[in-house]
Amino acid sequence: QVPLVESGGGSVQAGGSLRLSCAASVYAVDGFCMGWFRQAPGVNREEVATIERLGSTKYADSVRGRFTISRDNAKKILYLEMNNLKPEDSATYYCAVETRTGGICYANWEFDSWGQGTQVTVSS
């Protein structure tokens, strides 16, 4: 089984919405720190949103108020709801899990398991 599989990416116009999903086949999404990251060509990877085991969430300033991270514990799926998308949101989006921190998300931490990514393209 592939541990993390993202889906839901696509092409939308500015102002549109997408919902990304990350199916975690071997992880309890409410048992660890999980997060969404993105990387555009020639740009460093950016942490977009994280959710801790107890449910605390954090967002990058660039997406706060537009994106929402959530999870379905029973289905073992992590979501990223993205609204009012902007061209600068275009990137490959990755979900990741950190299994070594007891469910706490630390800043600038290298998560230990990653999905293969899903592409989001926002046109102006």
Side-chain angles (χ1 to χ4, degrees):
Q1 286 180 314
V2 179
L4 299 170
V5 179
E6 301 95 335
S7 62
S11 297
V12 296
Q13 290 190 327
S17 298
L18 285 172
R19 187 176 75 163
L20 305 184
S21 299
C22 174
S25 61
V26 298
Y27 299 109
V29 295
D30 61 341
F32 305 100
C33 166
M34 298 198 71
W36 287 98
F37 297 75
R38 66 186 181 187
Q39 188 167 21
V43 180
N44 289 337
R45 188 177 64 203
E46 177 187 19
E47 180 180 288
V48 175
T50 60
I51 184 166
E52 295 189 330
R53 181 175 63 87
L54 296 182
S56 296
T57 58
K58 292 181 182 178
Y59 297 92
D61 290 343
S62 58
V63 306
R64 187 175 294 111
R66 300 188 297 123
F67 290 12
T68 303
I69 188 171
S70 64
R71 63 195 180 196
D72 185 319
N73 299 336
K75 295 182 179 178
K76 300 174 74 174
I77 298 177
L78 181 73
Y79 297 105
L80 185 67
E81 184 76 34
M82 305 186 295
N83 297 314
N84 190 22
L85 282 160
K86 304 176 180 180
E88 52 264 42
D89 294 318
S90 297
T92 300
Y93 283 70
Y94 301 89
C95 71
V97 61
E98 171 50 58
T99 65
R100 302 163 293 181
T101 61
I104 298 173
C105 299
Y106 293 107
N108 302 314
W109 190 266
E110 185 63 30
F111 284 50
D112 62 359
S113 185
W114 294 79
Q116 294 185 328
T118 186
Q119 179 67 39
V120 171
T121 303
V122 184
S123 58
S124 58

